[in-house]
Amino acid sequence: MDIAVIGSNNTDLTTYITRMPIEGETIEAPDFVIGFGGKGSNQAVAASRLGSEILMLTCVGDDDFGRMYLRNYVDNGISTDHVKQVSGTSGVAPIFVDPESHNRIIIVKGANNGLLPEDVEAVADVIADCSLIVCQLEIRMETTEAAILLGERLGIPVLLNPAPASPELKLELASKCRYFMPNESELALLTGMPTDTDDQVCEAAKILLDAGCEHVIVTLGARGVLWLSNWGDKLKIEPVNVSPVDTTGAGDAFIGCFADSVVRGLGVADAIRRANAYAALSVTRRGTQSSYPDLAAFSNWLGEGEGADASV
Ligand code: RIB
């Protein structure tokens, strides 16, 4: 296995709206789509479509959403051997996407809360064969902590995407991760520092570097990506110019492609450039996993058309 992803799955219930209703108001929306999402599984599916072999450790419910999700892993070349099933409802995410392609997301964790620290320990011998562990914060904090500590014990690098932002995440735990990959608001919450400008982002990132992270890679949405390492690397990568239709899951596309790139042996700067291009392509399509291209489609886009300017 290349990458162990220890994280969530949600069924995304996406409504494309013209505007949000005000209190007490009922309005009509033009479109609605059910899709596969959840930050952990999104990252796993992106990396799998790009060719990485994935160990997916997650938990679904015993409902139709859970059963459909098991099929989705198989369809994406991901084994369900380590997908736990508990009684109750699977994770869901009502999502609202506005005409400017911005999204608002609510998560109901459901069965994701059923993934426990002992489930991580139970597959430690399989995780030991992986080159990278990828975590987010959409499952119990103690389970993510068990995954990070297992990585430390086995000497396997850990990539932590601290999303959704959580005050429960402690700097001491985050600093055990080789790759810490927040957006600017997640970085602000963890460090207590402002992150409105690039200089402020750099100051906040230094707290993580000083604490022990090797690489802090901050996604800044329309402002691009900032990378700082504790060897003195500092790089700003500008966003790729595309016409977005739905930005949901773009951050997960970025992480999944970055993880795939690192296990393929790319250096961090090249991995960021490639992930930046992959995320840009994803926002030109609707949905989360439904917007992630496979390796052939991505390579084709990079070689021709708009993606040819992506400087990967
Ligand atoms: O990052 C996007 C994801 O956030 C969606 O797929 C939704 O399920 C929530 O987890």
Side-chain angles (χ1 to χ4, degrees), residues 10-11 13 30 45 54 68 79 90 97 106 116 133 152 163 189 211 215 238 257 281 292 299 308:
N10 291 326
T11 296
L13 309 171
V45 165
I54 306 296
M68 287 192 297
S79 164
S90 297
V97 178
I106 300 166
L116 304 173
I133 296 173
E152 185 180 43
L189 183 73
H215 304 277
E238 297 301 325
C257 182
L281 180 53
Y292 299 166
S299 304

Side-chain angles (χ1 to χ4, degrees), residues 10 12 37-39 42 93 95 105 107 138 248-249 252 288:
N10 291 326
D12 287 350
K39 296 181 194 306
N42 289 346
I95 299 175
I105 302 177
I107 57 165
E138 229 170 29
T248 317
D252 301 328
T288 43

Side-chain angles (χ1 to χ4, degrees), residues 32-138:
F32 171 78
V33 173
I34 297 179
F36 296 104
K39 296 181 194 306
S41 296
N42 289 346
Q43 295 168 17
V45 165
S48 180
R49 287 186 186 164
L50 289 168
S52 283
E53 211 181 329
I54 306 296
L55 186 167
M56 184 76 220
L57 186 61
T58 191
C59 185
V60 298
D62 61 352
D63 55 358
D64 285 345
F65 286 154
R67 284 184 281 280
M68 287 192 297
Y69 220 118
L70 290 171
R71 183 74 237 164
N72 181 54
Y73 289 125
V74 174
D75 291 346
N76 281 286
I78 297 174
S79 164
T80 56
D81 285 357
H82 306 295
V83 179
K84 185 177 176 183
Q85 197 164 18
V86 293
S87 62
T89 55
S90 297
V92 292
I95 299 175
F96 303 92
V97 178
D98 69 22
E100 280 76 49
S101 79
H102 301 132
N103 59 70
R104 290 176 173 78
I105 302 177
I106 300 166
I107 57 165
V108 185
K109 283 187 179 174
N112 287 300
N113 276 327
L115 193 67
L116 304 173
E118 47 265 42
D119 298 320
V120 177
E121 274 305 320
V123 291
D125 56 335
V126 192
I127 295 175
D129 287 335
C130 294
S131 315
L132 182 69
I133 296 173
V134 175
C135 300
Q136 317 73 27
L137 301 181
E138 229 170 29

Side-chain angles (χ1 to χ4, degrees), residues 6 120 133-135 142-152 158:
I6 300 165
V120 177
I133 296 173
V134 175
C135 300
E142 59 264 35
T143 307
T144 300
E145 180 172 1
I148 294 170
L149 296 180
L150 180 68
E152 185 180 43
V158 177

Side-chain angles (χ1 to χ4, degrees), residues 202-217:
C202 290
E203 282 307 306
K206 277 188 193 135
I207 293 183
L208 271 301
L209 297 175
D210 290 345
C213 286
E214 287 180 42
H215 304 277
V216 179
I217 299 161

